[in-house]
Amino acid sequence: FFLRDAKAKNIEVSSYPNLLQKSILGYKKSASKNPLLAGFLSALLPGLGKAYIGKHKLAINAFTINSLFMIQSYESIHRLGIQHPLSIINLLFSALFYTSTIYGSYRDAIYFKNEKLETVYQDASNYYSVHSFPSLYK
């Protein structure tokens, strides 16, 4: 077919039927998202990488959860000291969620791109089967 990452930016959408243009545009948008940049943005601010790839609700969730764990860790260290077992556990959970947010943004960028490509393939398959074999769909 016509779609691969290197060629996605050069796709002329208007040359395809109207029913396929929306899914092709969605793939072009997702193919332009760099997974490493998504991970880097999440390292700067948890959830920013997910916002970059267009998953805004997940971005808000990631930011909220990471913020709560960081606030909890700060409070625990401030009140109990850094050597207290509860402070150490809080720091470990904060680090775990922070790291998983970075990796999740990277992985979601790849998954989102593949998901959009599958949508294009499915839409093209449906469109061309209906138009090539109309007697089967009466």
Side-chain angles (χ1 to χ4, degrees):
F1 200 56
F2 59 90
L3 299 172
R4 276 296 145 218
D5 295 343
K7 298 179 182 177
K9 295 177 185 173
N10 300 327
I11 298 170
E12 183 57 43
V13 178
S14 63
S15 63
Y16 292 96
N18 289 340
L19 295 173
L20 297 178
Q21 287 181 6
K22 182 179 178 183
S23 60
I24 293 170
L25 283 172
Y27 175 71
K28 278 182 69 170
K29 183 178 177 184
S30 68
S32 68
K33 305 300 181 185
N34 185 342
L36 291 175
L37 181 57
F40 177 73
L41 290 172
S42 278
L44 290 177
L45 181 68
L48 192 58
K50 292 187 185 296
Y52 165 70
I53 62 173
K55 301 285 186 173
H56 300 289
K57 288 181 183 178
L58 290 175
I60 293 169
N61 289 342
F63 180 77
T64 303
I65 290 171
N66 277 286
S67 296
L68 290 174
F69 272 111
M70 287 179 192
I71 291 168
Q72 182 177 352
S73 296
Y74 174 78
E75 284 292 319
S76 178
I77 291 169
H78 183 68
R79 291 181 186 206
L80 303 173
I82 191 135
Q83 294 182 345
H84 193 276
L86 185 58
S87 297
I88 294 170
I89 290 171
N90 284 333
L91 283 173
L92 288 174
F93 272 108
S94 292
L96 175 71
F97 275 90
Y98 177 71
T99 305
S100 66
T101 300
I102 295 169
Y103 176 70
S105 294
Y106 170 80
R107 182 189 47 99
D108 285 348
I110 295 170
Y111 179 75
F112 188 52
K113 187 184 308 183
N114 292 336
E115 182 182 280
K116 291 294 184 180
L117 182 60
E118 286 295 320
T119 301
V120 171
Y121 286 151
Q122 186 65 41
D123 290 348
S125 176
N126 291 340
Y127 176 81
Y128 288 114
S129 63
V130 168
H131 287 83
S132 298
F133 308 102
S135 61
L136 294 176
Y137 296 94
K138 288 185 178 181

